[in-house]
Amino acid sequence: ILLFSQRDGTNTRSAYEFQAQTAQAQSDRSKFIVQSFSTRLLGGEASLGLRDIDKRFAGFDSVQAAGYTQAEVDQFRREGGLKRSSWGLSDAKFGPTSLSFGQKSVVDGKSGIVWREASLKAGRFAFDASSRSVAKGFGRFNDLGEQDRAQIAGEVGLHRESVAMRYGGASWTQKFIADDQGNGVKRLGFALNQKGLKLGWEIGRA
């Protein structure tokens, strides 16, 4: 959906004192863009999304008339001034192997949050990775629709990533969170569950 709202400019001038201009309001045009696209690709699904809503946009009655629920419209209103984008490919097939990856972001001006994820499955082997980066200058956490926005707000200036690999009953994990200087905490883990044998090991370091 693509909508524009506009308030016409007005000029007020005195009838006296050489027609001096006393007040002026400029035209104010704002946009509402919410678009999504998906298609079948390589046996999976490719998708693109864009949301760009001006903070001054006022035509939300037209948005609801286009078929959005009240809850969706309220969230659009809260996220005015933010720009969201996303792209991804899910469950693409390459013979016995399936691949998924994607990215989404939300930006307020030059600062924002970026999520990335990828996964691969081939027989008994599986690989999963995800990350999230929260820029220092971003501050509109209360306006986000994400359920974990309170946790995100506590990670300003931090980069978080998680990697996991599994083969049969064996698994290896790594979790890492650090600031923009690379200072942070890393946790490594290994587990084995094979024929009644269960082993587990985990270590963390700063």
Side-chain angles (χ1 to χ4, degrees):
I1 180 174
L2 172 62
L3 299 172
F4 292 93
S5 68
Q6 179 170 331
R7 293 182 296 179
D8 294 333
T10 60
N11 291 300
T12 304
R13 300 177 69 90
S14 172
Y16 305 99
E17 298 179 359
F18 306 104
Q19 301 292 318
Q21 182 172 299
T22 59
Q24 183 174 0
Q26 301 295 328
S27 295
D28 187 6
R29 191 182 190 195
S30 57
K31 66 181 181 296
F32 176 99
I33 301 173
V34 175
Q35 296 182 326
S36 61
F37 168 80
S38 64
T39 186
R40 300 294 296 176
L41 180 65
L42 298 173
E45 183 177 66
S47 61
L48 294 170
L50 174 65
R51 185 188 300 179
D52 190 358
I53 306 170
D54 280 346
K55 197 171 185 64
R56 301 165 308 197
F57 182 78
F60 289 100
D61 288 344
S62 298
V63 174
Q64 190 164 9
Y68 290 99
T69 66
Q70 184 62 55
E72 290 172 323
V73 172
D74 290 342
Q75 187 58 44
F76 291 151
R77 194 189 304 271
R78 283 191 293 270
E79 294 195 5
L82 298 177
K83 183 175 181 179
R84 286 184 177 267
S85 62
S86 63
W87 57 266
L89 177 64
S90 62
D91 295 324
K93 302 296 190 298
F94 300 90
T97 303
S98 66
L99 175 67
S100 300
F101 58 86
Q103 174 179 300
K104 71 174 184 175
S105 64
V106 56
V107 179
D108 179 10
K110 296 182 179 180
S111 300
I113 309 168
V114 179
W115 295 261
R116 296 184 178 93
E117 59 182 17
S119 65
L120 183 146
K121 295 180 181 179
R124 300 179 67 193
F125 175 78
F127 170 85
D128 294 286
S130 62
S131 70
R132 182 176 67 208
S133 299
V134 185
K136 284 184 177 180
F138 188 83
R140 294 187 56 187
F141 300 100
N142 290 335
D143 296 327
L144 298 177
E146 279 73 15
Q147 295 298 313
D148 60 343
R149 56 185 175 271
Q151 179 181 347
I152 298 174
E155 297 185 2
V156 174
L158 299 180
H159 172 78
R160 172 187 292 274
E161 65 181 39
S162 175
V163 179
M165 289 190 290
R166 298 179 300 279
Y167 183 81
S171 64
W172 172 86
T173 59
Q174 174 180 290
K175 296 181 180 181
F176 180 63
I177 182 168
D179 59 21
D180 54 7
Q181 302 298 316
N183 303 311
V185 178
K186 179 183 291 187
R187 298 181 67 181
L188 301 173
F190 174 79
L192 179 64
N193 186 351
Q194 190 73 26
K195 295 181 179 180
L197 176 64
K198 292 184 179 181
L199 296 174
W201 168 80
E202 186 175 84
I203 186 171
R205 65 179 184 180

